[in-house]
């Protein structure tokens, strides 16, 4: 994909009212998704379960996994950070350990993850032929590409939105509004009317679908073979590292798409 040689902005824009143009870039989007630490936090209960199960028994592994999830929740609570991801992680761990406890087999801890990955992968793939690639839907919701936000362009209309998002993330009162700010401009054409954008979002959606289906393809035979330790190793190896690579590629491609749409809009006008 073509685009200017300069790299998109590397830091979030200044939310203060100093009159400077707001830069809303990939790092703020990543923060809204939970950040890199959020992905690490999500992996800790699984690590605790695998380690405890290898050196102890299933009961120990269950309590260690639950303990790790609770500690993540308490740590975020003390730091006054967003608890949404921690609560969802605790719920997921509770379901997984409940299934393992009911069956008495450690391998069943990974059943919810295998089923979840299969469903997400199929849904993502199914959205591509419908020309509603879900990665594009999510990306356009977080940062509409017609505004050029990921390409570090000026976004005065987004200032209040970003200020409010930051305040919500850090549990601070929303900033006071002095006067009316201009609304974000409507796109001259919807992102789905741009073939290049739809095609790129389609390939990104396929990439994400394959990351989920790869986990299913690797973990299912290990589950059927009752390879508990290898199942845990595969869960970790195909979890955070693969997700980090896919997310990095996605942010880079979306930034290029933003620059493409901004340049196309400037040419059309």
């Amino acid at each position: 994909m073509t685009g200017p040689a300069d790299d998109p902005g590397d830091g979030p824009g200044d939310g203060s009212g100093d009159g400077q143009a707001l830069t809303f870039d990939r790092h703020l989007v990543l923060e809204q998704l939970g950040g890199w630490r959020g992905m690490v936090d999500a992996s800790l209960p699984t690590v605790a379960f695998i380690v405890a199960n290898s050196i102890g028994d299933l009961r120990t592994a269950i309590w260690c996994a639950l303990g790790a999830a609770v500690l993540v929740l308490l740590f975020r609570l003390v730091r006054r950070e967003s608890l949404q991801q921690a609560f969802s992680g605790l719920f997921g761990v509770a379901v997984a350990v409940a299934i393992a406890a009911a069956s008495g087999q450690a391998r069943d801890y990974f059943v919810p993850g295998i089923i979840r990955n299969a469903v997400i992968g199929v849904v993502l793939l199914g959205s591509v032929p419908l020309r509603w690639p879900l990665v594009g839907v999510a990306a356009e919701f977080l940062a509409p590409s017609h505004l050029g936000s990921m390409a570090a362009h000026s976004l005065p209309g987004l200032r209040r939105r970003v200020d409010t998002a930051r305040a919500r993330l850090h549990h601070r009162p929303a900033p006071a509004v002095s006067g009316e700010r201009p609304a974000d401009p409507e796109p001259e054409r919807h992102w789905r009317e741009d073939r290049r954008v739809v095609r790129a979002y389609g390939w990104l959606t396929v990439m994400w679908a394959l990351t989920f289906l790869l986990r299913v393809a690797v973990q299912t035979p290990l589950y059927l073979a009752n390879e508990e330790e290898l199942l845990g190793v595969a869960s970790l190896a195909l979890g955070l590292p693969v997700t980090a690579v896919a997310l990095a590629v996605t942010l880079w491609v979306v930034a290029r798409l933003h620059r493409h749409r901004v340049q196309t809009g400037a040419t059309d006008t």
Side-chain angles (χ1 to χ4, degrees):
M1 298 179 189
T2 58
D6 52 273
D7 189 69
D10 289 326
D14 183 5
S16 62
D18 55 4
Q20 294 180 355
L22 174 66
T23 298
F24 184 54
D25 72 339
R26 67 187 74 178
H27 297 284
L28 182 57
V29 174
L30 180 60
E31 185 181 8
Q32 290 177 323
L33 293 174
W36 299 111
R37 211 196 74 203
M39 291 189 287
V40 174
D41 289 347
S43 303
L44 291 180
T46 300
V47 173
F49 182 88
I50 295 170
V51 173
N53 185 64
S54 64
I55 63 179
D57 55 14
L58 178 58
R59 183 181 296 273
T60 303
I62 288 174
W63 284 111
C64 286
L66 285 173
V70 171
L71 284 176
V72 169
L73 177 62
L74 293 176
F75 183 74
R76 285 181 171 266
L77 183 63
V78 169
R79 291 176 59 89
R80 298 183 179 180
E81 297 174 343
S82 175
L83 300 179
Q84 179 179 355
Q85 216 173 18
F87 274 120
S88 61
L90 179 60
F91 176 77
V93 171
V95 171
V97 298
I99 294 175
S103 67
Q105 299 187 52
R107 66 173 183 166
D108 288 336
Y109 175 87
F110 301 96
V111 167
I114 294 174
I115 296 175
R116 181 185 66 246
N117 288 331
V119 171
I120 293 176
V122 170
V123 170
L124 285 172
L125 281 181
S127 70
V128 175
L130 297 177
R131 289 182 58 81
W132 277 100
L134 291 179
V135 170
V137 174
E140 293 293 323
F141 173 79
L142 290 171
S145 60
H146 71 279
L147 297 175
S149 54
M150 298 279 285
H153 284 260
S154 299
L155 303 174
L158 278 176
R159 187 182 300 279
R160 189 198 308 180
R161 183 190 302 176
V162 178
D163 288 347
T164 304
R166 284 181 177 147
R168 192 173 299 163
L169 282 168
H170 299 289
H171 296 275
R172 295 195 301 261
V177 178
S178 57
E180 289 296 326
R181 296 192 183 277
D184 297 334
E186 292 294 329
E188 293 186 1
R189 60 173 177 166
H190 196 272
W191 63 271
R192 292 181 64 245
E193 298 176 2
D194 189 323
R195 292 184 179 180
R196 178 175 176 177
V197 173
V198 174
R199 184 167 58 249
Y201 280 144
W203 281 113
L204 286 176
T205 302
V206 170
M207 177 191 71
W208 277 100
L210 292 179
T211 64
F212 287 103
L213 296 178
L214 175 63
R215 294 164 187 158
V216 177
V218 173
Q219 289 182 290
T220 300
L222 295 175
Y223 173 83
L224 295 176
N226 201 23
E227 296 285 353
E228 295 177 354
E229 293 186 2
L230 290 178
L231 188 58
V233 171
S235 175
L236 294 177
L238 298 175
L240 179 58
V242 173
T243 300
V245 172
L247 185 57
V249 172
T250 300
L251 293 174
W252 180 78
V253 172
V254 172
R256 306 282 288 188
L257 288 178
H258 279 222
R259 288 194 281 187
H260 156 70
R261 291 203 72 189
V262 171
Q263 289 173 344
T264 303
T267 303
D268 292 343
T269 56

